[in-house]
Amino acid sequence: MASTGLPSLDNLLGSDGYPDKSTILVVGPPGIGKEALGYWFTNSGLIQNDFCLYNTRLSSKEVLQDVKAFNVDFSQRVPFWFASQGGQLKFDVNDLAGLSFNIKDILKKNSDRRIRVVTDALSSLLMLNQPDTVYKFLTQLFDEVKKYDSVFLATLEEGMHPPNVLAAMQQLFDGVVELRLYEEGLRVLPLLRIRKMRGVAPQPGYYNFSFTKTGMELSVYAK
Amino acid sequence: MLSSPGFALAIIFSEIIPAAIFLYAAYWAFEIRKGLANPIYRNHALWQGCAIALTAAAPIITYSNNYEILAGIEIFYSAFFVIIFIFIDSTVKIARRSDPLLRSILNWKRVRILGWAGIGLAVFDNLYSIVNVSFSNSLVGSLFFALGLLIAFALGGLAITIGARRSKDMLLRGNLKWLGLALLFAVGTVSVSSIEGFMGVSEFATYYSYPALPSAVFYILMGYAFYRSSRSLAPVSHFSLEDAPKLDPPAP
């Protein structure tokens, strides 16, 4: 198992983290904190000396600013940046073939240890390419990812894609973590749900979450 | 002599109801902010709430007949302009983030400096007017004020428009659409007041009697548009029975 980096989420999954050789999708509206799950997951991998690849459509500097806001520190241990600017590899959101080649190449070169791949570029790829093309790209990429001891985590913006595209993406991934905002009277509550996770019993429950200095706090949401 | 029904209706429709709507809109902006985690989005919601709350207070202060409180009014409007521009700045940042190509909007990192310079001019005019009352009525004072605000809000408005067109975030577009409508209703409010002034309706009668009602309609609509804009800051669902967790029955 690859720890999520958040003890409360590891406990919720009941298995100390995401399953090995799995692909995880975190879906939710902009600003709710999907990327934070990626930051903590990467941080956990860096601590355990896993090879951590962070693929982002932003510059590494912008990501590091966001990372600090969640009290994650990438200054001591640094991920491998595949970013639009400031990374060891330059990411071009229009170049699907280059993205595929580079990730596969990195997987091959680091096959001697566990690999964690985090990407926040999935929404951009879906907006700039035909959904079918991205679906095929991901299917082939996941076949490659699962040859190695690796976990692939992607974030997807809710509200920017048609429902059928969201549904297709959720079907493709082994695990789906959903973050949403719910209205209860005059209050707005951020809730998390494990929509599905390979090897984990189905969990219909919703959990109220909040980010703290040490990670994420989860509490059962009962209406 | 003011008629009592007109006075009462003016107070209710042009001050109490709009203030309530504006404050409700600001409340939702602050409440949705609590549910967000990313600092850029949290800031956007925060400054939207602050801008709406200050807009709610603006006519109450403006309607004050006590011009001995000039200093307070000038400081209030200085803060108002600063917060409006901070809100514009935060909106441009999230508009850029929601562009899949992450294009720079008008080279905003540099252009915002011009905008802040404009706000600085307007704020200087306001604050200097406290010590030199005639300055704001002078040509230089008027130029400082008008030019400063024009630079800031023209640049900001243009940047937001470009950002909204490039953004693929339908929610952000909705948020900006309602904000745009709120600004249109603001123009309506000012236009009606100006027409009444042109027709020779006294300022006192406008604020405290039946003549306040036409502009009050626009002001209420402005509040509603702000409310819809606040609710568009993030998608908020209603929890339904189908979503309710199916908890295991308690052990016997």
Side-chain angles (χ1 to χ4, degrees):
Chain A
M1 295 297 178
S3 168
T4 64
L6 298 160
S8 55
L9 190 53
D10 285 344
N11 287 341
L12 184 61
L13 290 169
S15 51
D16 296 332
Y18 302 123
D20 288 330
K21 298 191 181 184
S22 66
T23 53
I24 309 297
L25 181 68
V26 182
V27 61
I32 201 169
K34 301 180 297 298
E35 286 77 15
L37 268 64
Y39 302 152
W40 285 105
F41 179 61
T42 303
N43 191 52
S44 168
L46 290 170
I47 291 169
Q48 293 174 33
N49 208 29
D50 294 347
F51 179 81
C52 298
L53 167 68
Y54 201 100
N55 168 232
T56 175
R57 65 194 188 94
L58 303 174
S59 66
S60 57
K61 191 176 166 188
E62 280 177 285
V63 175
L64 285 170
Q65 276 173 353
D66 281 358
V67 160
K68 270 190 199 160
F70 289 98
N71 295 297
V72 177
D73 183 14
F74 281 172
S75 60
Q76 300 298 318
R77 301 178 191 91
V78 181
F80 187 96
W81 291 104
F82 187 5
S84 62
Q85 280 179 20
Q88 288 92 324
L89 279 177
K90 183 164 170 55
F91 173 59
D92 180 354
V93 73
N94 290 307
D95 184 10
L96 262 185
L99 175 62
S100 176
F101 172 80
N102 281 309
I103 291 180
K104 287 177 186 174
D105 189 49
I106 287 166
L107 288 171
K108 209 171 173 179
K109 285 178 179 167
N110 294 279
S111 55
D112 56 328
R113 47 183 172 149
R114 183 155 60 188
I115 302 165
R116 300 185 186 214
V117 181
V118 174
T119 180
D120 64 17
L122 184 54
S123 277
S124 296
L125 294 176
L126 284 166
M127 284 186 257
L128 295 170
N129 298 279
Q130 289 295 321
D132 284 348
T133 308
V134 178
Y135 194 90
K136 275 184 206 161
F137 157 76
L138 287 174
T139 307
Q140 288 168 3
L141 183 63
F142 291 170
D143 284 342
E144 196 68 26
V145 162
K146 289 179 184 182
K147 286 180 188 169
Y148 305 95
D149 180 12
S150 60
V151 176
F152 183 99
L153 185 146
T155 60
L156 188 66
E157 305 281 359
E158 195 183 344
M160 290 196 193
H161 310 287
N164 59 320
V165 170
L166 274 178
M169 286 298 113
Q170 290 182 22
Q171 208 177 17
L172 190 57
F173 284 75
D174 297 319
V176 177
V177 178
E178 187 182 59
L179 306 180
R180 296 184 92 174
L181 291 176
Y182 279 93
E183 181 180 340
E184 186 184 66
L186 287 176
R187 290 195 308 161
V188 170
L189 298 171
L191 299 182
L192 175 149
R193 177 168 71 149
I194 308 294
R195 211 174 168 95
K196 67 170 184 176
M197 190 65 63
R198 194 190 74 207
V200 175
Q203 301 195 36
Y206 281 82
Y207 298 84
N208 189 202
F209 71 91
S210 61
F211 290 101
T212 63
K213 284 184 182 173
T214 51
M216 182 195 246
E217 276 179 14
L218 289 170
S219 56
V220 175
Y221 175 66
K223 191 165 163 61
Chain B
M1 188 82 175
L2 296 168
S3 65
S4 296
F7 179 81
L9 279 172
I11 293 293
I12 290 168
F13 283 100
S14 66
E15 294 200 15
I16 295 175
I17 291 178
I21 297 173
F22 275 88
L23 290 175
Y24 189 58
Y27 168 80
W28 275 108
F30 294 135
E31 188 62 22
I32 286 173
R33 175 183 181 262
K34 282 198 265 178
L36 299 173
N38 187 293
I40 289 179
Y41 290 88
R42 282 173 63 87
N43 282 345
H44 181 239
L46 168 69
W47 295 115
Q48 173 150 343
C50 290
I52 294 172
L54 285 181
T55 308
I60 296 169
I61 291 175
T62 305
Y63 284 3
S64 168
N65 245 356
N66 190 345
Y67 284 103
E68 280 79 32
I69 316 178
L70 173 70
I73 292 171
E74 300 293 1
I75 291 169
F76 170 83
Y77 274 105
S78 299
F80 185 54
F81 298 142
V82 168
I83 284 173
I84 293 286
F85 196 74
I86 293 176
F87 169 65
I88 289 172
D89 188 41
S90 67
T91 306
V92 174
K93 283 178 186 165
I94 63 165
R96 177 191 165 263
R97 278 266 179 128
S98 61
D99 175 9
L101 293 171
L102 274 178
R103 287 165 285 188
S104 167
I105 300 173
L106 287 182
N107 202 359
W108 185 248
K109 267 189 184 171
R110 293 201 177 140
V111 160
R112 63 202 282 262
I113 298 170
L114 265 178
W116 277 116
I119 294 292
L121 272 180
V123 167
F124 172 79
D125 177 81
N126 274 1
L127 298 179
Y128 189 59
S129 300
I130 296 172
V131 295
N132 182 354
V133 178
S134 61
F135 181 74
S136 63
N137 295 327
S138 68
L139 179 63
V140 173
S142 301
L143 265 176
F144 266 37
F145 186 76
L147 199 62
L149 287 186
L150 187 67
I151 291 170
F153 295 143
L155 285 173
L158 186 60
I160 289 177
T161 305
I162 294 170
R165 287 176 70 91
R166 289 178 181 171
S167 172
K168 299 295 182 191
D169 184 348
M170 299 315 292
L171 212 58
L172 175 65
R173 285 186 170 186
N175 170 259
L176 295 177
K177 178 191 84 177
W178 283 108
L179 273 177
L181 267 173
L183 288 173
L184 274 176
F185 288 131
V187 170
T189 308
V190 169
S191 300
V192 169
S193 302
S194 301
I195 290 168
E196 285 174 339
F198 183 72
M199 286 165 61
V201 178
S202 77
E203 191 180 275
F204 202 65
T206 307
Y207 291 161
Y208 291 116
S209 186
Y210 291 111
L213 297 182
S215 57
V217 169
F218 280 97
Y219 202 49
I220 289 170
L221 288 171
M222 184 176 159
Y224 177 72
F226 271 136
Y227 163 72
R228 292 297 302 267
S229 175
S230 289
R231 292 300 299 251
S232 303
L233 281 166
V236 180
S237 312
H238 289 272
F239 205 85
S240 66
L241 282 176
E242 289 78 32
D243 294 330
K246 293 169 182 53
L247 299 170
D248 292 332

